[in-house]
Amino acid sequence: MMTPVKKEAGVTLDFYKEIYKRDLYDYHLSEEHSQYTSLPVNALKLCEEDPSRYPIVILYNGAVAGFFVLHGWEGVQAYCDHQSAILIRGYSVKPSYQGKGIATKSLKLLTPFIKQHFPDKNEIILAVNHNNVIAQHVYKKSGFIDKGKRVLGRKGELYIFHKDL
């Protein structure tokens, strides 16, 4: 059974469930953030088509505050050759919840969440746009390391960050 991981100051990670659907379909991003990530509704469609994508909801005091997808080997292989890695993609926090430390707290919960639900994984990777300096700072503060790998994405150069589990 897939259960949420413990809370971190009101923040919880949970696998997508039907009860979150309305909130995710009414999820908006600022113009700035929408240039770097996709809306949950679009990511959910891809998750339905690809069983190696796992939609994750970030809750703050029980309310939907953010969203991301954990993607298995099919996503990882575009960025590294570690089959024991898992990719985080489409990460966002709703504008109305930004500035409350939710991103940092959710990323802190990511390690125990992955260890609990994906015990065969020993590394998390992500791709962040070179212009998205704020996200880079949050990821680095959360223990992700830039090992210097670069990939060209749809909207420019991407930095590939790693975090060992």
Side-chain angles (χ1 to χ4, degrees):
M1 177 161 162
M2 296 184 179
T3 58
V5 167
K6 67 177 181 163
K7 287 185 179 182
E8 174 68 32
V11 176
T12 309
L13 300 180
D14 195 8
F15 284 92
Y16 169 78
K17 297 177 176 86
E18 195 69 24
I19 60 170
Y20 304 131
K21 186 174 185 174
R22 173 186 266 163
D23 288 323
L24 292 175
Y25 275 70
D26 190 33
Y27 191 112
H28 304 282
L29 294 171
S30 68
E31 188 175 322
E32 178 186 355
H33 288 103
S34 64
Q35 65 184 314
Y36 299 123
T37 192
S38 62
L39 286 169
V41 64
N42 297 330
L44 284 170
K45 289 176 186 169
L46 292 172
C47 290
E48 290 171 6
E49 299 166 5
D50 182 351
S52 72
R53 291 179 187 240
Y54 302 89
I56 310 297
V57 177
I58 302 167
L59 301 169
Y60 182 65
N61 294 328
V64 173
F67 179 84
F68 62 93
V69 172
L70 291 173
H71 198 176
W73 175 242
E74 292 74 9
V76 168
Q77 63 187 335
Y79 304 110
C80 79
D81 60 2
H82 304 130
Q83 291 196 20
S84 57
I86 194 162
L87 174 69
I88 183 172
R89 65 185 327 144
Y91 183 93
S92 67
V93 173
K94 286 181 172 182
S96 59
Y97 286 94
Q98 291 175 5
K100 301 177 188 303
I102 293 170
T104 300
K105 292 168 189 161
S106 69
L107 291 168
K108 184 176 180 181
L109 290 172
L110 192 56
T111 296
F113 186 88
I114 291 173
K115 284 182 175 183
Q116 178 181 345
H117 297 291
F118 303 92
D120 61 324
K121 302 302 179 190
N122 65 17
E123 180 181 25
I124 309 166
I125 63 167
L126 60 86
V128 60
N129 189 284
H130 73 285
N131 287 328
N132 196 349
V133 177
I134 293 170
Q136 291 172 39
H137 174 74
V138 172
Y139 293 137
K140 286 179 180 177
K141 190 168 99 174
S142 299
F144 284 87
I145 299 168
D146 180 0
K147 295 182 179 178
K149 176 145 184 171
R150 303 294 183 256
V151 174
L152 190 58
R154 290 189 318 266
K155 297 182 181 175
E157 186 177 39
L158 300 173
Y159 297 169
I160 309 307
F161 286 13
H162 303 256
K163 184 177 182 182
D164 290 333
L165 296 175

